Amino acid sequence: MSKLTHGFESPYSIYILDEEYEANAYALPGANIYVTTELINQLKYEEELIFILGHEIAHINNRDILEMYSQDIPFRITLAFLWFDSILEWISVSDITWNYLSQQKEKQADIWGIQLINSLWLNLECATWFFERNDFIDPIFSSFLSTHPSNDSRINNIKNNAKFKTKCTELNY
């Protein structure tokens, strides 16, 4: 926590959820960040955890979820009113729009995590190990169905913005 806050009092509360089936972290209103034990168990370096927490802090600071809902709800109501929401049986125009907005928010949150790691003079490339190890299949045709950018683009973005080549810090949990 001291690395995240640079020694200042933090307005964020971080909770560890005893969840062994899903590797995830997410932010909720009230400056609450939740990290599952499965995610922590899959991390190898402190830089990964700091990047993930910085990413979640960005969602809180940017009020991403509130902004997305404020943009999405009028759009969904309009599409429903016009009876124009369904393209196919399994996907709707509003879902594609939501996913696009979500991907943009995720990219912005990644930038926050990148800036945090660089501000701590840590090796940003150490933050890619989780993404590299969990090499999710990202078919190009399904990119518009995903709420997150592809793993490859995230890894490349992180590596291209690394400023320091220090030793990675083992995570002890």
Side-chain angles (χ1 to χ4, degrees):
M1 195 61 168
S2 65
K3 286 183 182 177
L4 285 175
T5 62
H6 297 285
F8 297 104
E9 188 173 325
S10 172
Y12 309 101
S13 297
I14 300 173
Y15 301 95
I16 299 173
L17 295 175
D18 189 17
E19 169 63 58
E20 53 190 66
Y21 300 107
E22 182 180 8
N24 203 356
Y26 50 91
L28 292 177
N32 296 302
I33 299 171
Y34 294 84
V35 181
T36 64
T37 53
E38 181 59 25
L39 176 63
I40 294 170
N41 290 334
Q42 290 186 25
L43 300 179
K44 185 174 181 179
Y45 302 115
E46 281 186 17
E47 289 85 351
E48 295 173 284
L49 182 57
I50 294 168
F51 174 83
I52 290 166
L53 293 174
H55 174 101
E56 297 306 327
I57 288 170
H59 284 311
I60 292 168
N61 289 349
N62 296 336
R63 300 180 186 272
D64 286 343
I65 196 70
L66 295 173
E67 187 176 310
M68 285 189 57
Y69 276 115
S70 69
Q71 292 173 352
D72 185 61
I73 289 173
F75 183 69
R76 285 183 188 264
I77 290 170
T78 303
L79 288 176
F81 179 75
L82 297 173
W83 294 24
F84 185 67
D85 195 26
S86 290
I87 295 175
L88 301 169
E89 213 172 279
W90 48 272
I91 189 71
S92 69
V93 172
S94 53
D95 289 340
I96 293 171
T97 304
W98 176 270
N99 293 348
Y100 173 78
L101 291 172
S102 179
Q103 285 185 26
Q104 299 312 305
K105 298 296 181 192
E106 293 299 323
K107 288 176 185 176
Q108 291 171 355
D110 281 356
I111 291 169
W112 188 287
I114 287 167
Q115 291 172 342
L116 177 61
I117 296 288
N118 282 332
S119 74
L120 295 170
W121 297 22
L122 297 171
N123 187 345
L124 188 56
E125 290 186 7
C126 302
T128 63
W129 189 82
F130 173 77
F131 295 113
E132 291 168 346
R133 193 173 75 68
N134 293 296
D135 191 18
F136 307 107
I137 299 171
D138 291 324
I140 292 176
F141 72 88
S142 70
S143 63
F144 69 97
L145 300 176
S146 176
T147 58
H148 286 68
S150 73
N151 253 15
D152 287 342
S153 70
R154 291 179 101 175
I155 291 167
N156 289 336
N157 188 32
I158 292 168
K159 285 186 174 183
N160 290 337
N161 286 287
K163 292 185 178 180
F164 305 101
K165 301 289 184 188
T166 58
K167 183 179 176 191
C168 298
T169 311
E170 291 285 327
L171 177 66
N172 295 313
Y173 170 69

